[in-house]
Amino acid sequence: MYRTMMKGKIHRARVTESNLNYVGSITIDEDILDAVDMVPNEKVQIVNNNNGARFETYIIPGPRGTGVMCLNGAAARLVQEGDVIIVISYCMLSEEEVHSHQPRVAIMDENNRITEILGYEPASTIL
């Protein structure tokens, strides 16, 4: 049996822009991607804390050090610049792997800088 587990999470990032005329995806600063072990074209779930929207898309790498979080294409209709979002990636793990798995959780500040990297999901992440 395999279980779907959280692999990486970008917690409370701010949308820097949205581009309705792009084909589709989320553009994320490559430094942030490296920190949470996410890669270009990987499927991710986006949760918008401002309006409750939850949707899936894929990653496009953005310029390093910019803090870019840009929703593209149809997803641009589900966010506004400044919205607080959570980006989550998942993986499939065997029963044996589940118990030793540690996700990478990046806690973000208001400028999309990583303030902390955790190897677990805190029981009560209130920020």
Side-chain angles (χ1 to χ4, degrees):
M1 176 171 50
Y2 288 90
R3 295 181 186 252
T4 303
M5 307 293 289
M6 179 179 68
K7 181 177 74 73
K9 178 178 176 183
I10 303 168
H11 187 74
R12 296 188 59 82
R14 302 232 179 229
V15 174
T16 57
E17 61 183 299
S18 60
N19 183 349
L20 184 60
N21 296 314
Y22 194 82
V23 175
S25 64
I26 182 169
T27 304
I28 302 175
D29 177 326
E30 278 193 276
D31 286 341
I32 298 170
L33 293 177
D34 290 347
V36 292
D37 189 29
M38 293 182 191
V39 296
N41 300 308
E42 184 170 357
K43 178 181 176 179
V44 289
Q45 180 181 42
I46 310 296
V47 179
N48 186 329
N49 285 4
N50 291 76
N51 64 21
R54 297 176 77 96
F55 54 94
E56 295 176 339
T57 189
Y58 63 92
I59 297 169
I60 290 181
R64 290 184 181 279
T66 61
V68 66
M69 287 281 164
C70 178
L71 277 299
N72 302 300
R77 294 201 182 275
L78 301 173
V79 300
Q80 293 184 34
E81 188 175 321
D83 281 359
V84 174
I85 61 171
I86 299 170
V87 181
I88 310 163
S89 66
Y90 298 92
C91 62
M92 299 290 288
L93 298 175
S94 68
E95 282 295 313
E96 295 78 30
E97 295 170 307
V98 165
H99 303 290
S100 62
H101 173 66
Q102 290 190 337
R104 297 189 70 182
V105 179
I107 308 297
M108 309 301 287
D109 71 9
E110 62 278 353
N111 296 306
N112 289 344
R113 291 183 303 240
I114 298 169
T115 61
E116 190 174 6
I117 296 284
L118 305 173
Y120 60 94
E121 176 70 11
S124 58
T125 307
I126 300 173
L127 301 172

